[in-house]
Amino acid sequence: GNSVTQMEGPVTLSEEAFLTINCTYTATGYPSLFWYVQYPGEGLQLLLKATKADDKGSNKGFEATYRKETTSFHLEKGSVQVSDSAVYFCALSDQGSGGSNYKLTFGKGTLLTVNP
Amino acid sequence: DAGITQSPRHKVTETGTPVTLRCHQTENHRYMYWYRQDPGHGLRLIHYSYGVKDTDKGEVSDGYSVSRSKTEDFLLTLESATSSQTSVYFCAIRRLAGTPNEQFFGPGTRLTVL
């Protein structure tokens, strides 16, 4: 079945540091890949997405590139801010064939804390 | 904002009692999902629905049932709550327009079973 593995947290950085959160996946076919962010006390928000190999998703200074050859979708940001403190989830969705109905499979989440 | 609300937002109950959580959406989406979030597990799919009266199990469905008698409401029921069902529950919808496998989440319900 499908699975997502993301780096264990927590991750603690100083403001303006470079961020990488690793994510690798196992899936059949050609899944879509997502990063979701959960701020304290809130639900999940879609941060960025990529639907095919070599696509780069980007939003709010975050980027991730869909690498099929390494089955990876690592999240990066060049200069983090205190307001980026949150839990980040990598997720994949199958293509909905065979009755799978586009179910999402999530990684376990990575807690990021950015200190001033 | 996908027009998703969940109720209640917080609930404390006792082992053995029935509990029903409600997810309500205002945009007439066909697909709806229930997940639970636990530390060290991320989000795991409990049940989902692909239309009125059409539901199916996810990976952690034991101890849960769902119902969808109208498009806008998707109910999750714990017939006899156990402490292992203490969790945060999220509802999600999937839009058919745009990226078809993109889901949008509600604010969550924090359930504590004593």
Side-chain angles (χ1 to χ4, degrees):
Chain A
N2 297 338
S3 67
V4 174
T5 303
Q6 63 181 102
M7 65 186 285
E8 298 279 334
V11 174
T12 302
L13 297 174
S14 297
E15 205 164 25
E16 299 184 1
F18 184 84
L19 169 71
T20 299
I21 301 178
N22 290 337
C23 173
T24 58
Y25 68 89
T26 301
T28 55
Y30 302 93
S32 293
L33 301 174
F34 305 90
W35 278 100
Y36 281 85
V37 59
Q38 183 180 34
Y39 298 104
E42 299 184 9
L44 275 73
Q45 302 175 23
L46 179 66
L47 180 60
L48 53 83
K49 63 189 177 189
T51 58
K52 61 182 187 296
D54 300 325
D55 268 1
K56 176 184 283 188
S58 61
N59 186 26
K60 300 181 181 180
F62 291 88
E63 293 182 339
T65 301
Y66 188 166
R67 301 286 189 199
K68 190 165 179 62
E69 65 276 14
T70 55
T71 61
S72 65
F73 193 55
H74 304 320
L75 182 68
E76 296 182 337
K77 186 175 186 182
S79 176
V80 293
Q81 305 300 311
V82 172
S83 57
D84 294 327
S85 298
V87 180
Y88 292 83
F89 293 94
C90 185
L92 71 81
S93 174
D94 55 41
Q95 293 304 301
S97 61
S100 64
N101 285 304
Y102 297 103
K103 294 192 290 290
L104 281 176
T105 301
F106 285 86
K108 295 181 179 181
T110 302
L111 173 63
L112 170 66
T113 301
V114 181
N115 295 319
Chain B
D1 184 359
I4 306 168
T5 57
Q6 293 184 231
S7 59
R9 293 294 312 281
H10 302 272
K11 187 170 181 66
V12 180
T13 191
E14 294 188 351
T15 298
T17 61
V19 176
T20 296
L21 309 183
R22 179 184 184 232
C23 178
H24 179 77
Q25 53 127 339
T26 60
E27 298 183 351
N28 209 36
H29 298 293
R30 179 181 167 194
Y31 287 83
M32 300 183 75
Y33 305 80
W34 274 109
Y35 294 88
R36 60 177 290 174
Q37 181 182 17
D38 303 290
H41 290 279
L43 275 79
R44 294 177 291 175
L45 181 65
I46 305 171
H47 281 280
Y48 64 98
S49 170
Y50 45 97
V52 173
K53 293 185 171 34
D54 292 323
T55 64
D56 205 349
K57 297 178 180 180
E59 64 176 306
V60 290
S61 60
D62 287 349
Y64 301 94
S65 62
V66 290
S67 64
R68 191 153 178 218
S69 59
K70 46 187 178 177
T71 299
E72 58 266 35
D73 288 326
F74 191 30
L75 304 181
L76 177 71
T77 297
L78 292 65
E79 301 289 350
S80 177
T82 68
S83 58
S84 65
Q85 294 176 310
T86 292
S87 187
V88 181
Y89 292 85
F90 287 99
C91 173
I93 61 92
R94 179 167 73 83
R95 289 179 172 148
L96 295 184
T99 306
N101 42 16
E102 182 177 329
Q103 294 183 20
F104 296 86
F105 287 80
T109 294
R110 183 173 295 275
L111 176 68
T112 302
V113 183
L114 301 176

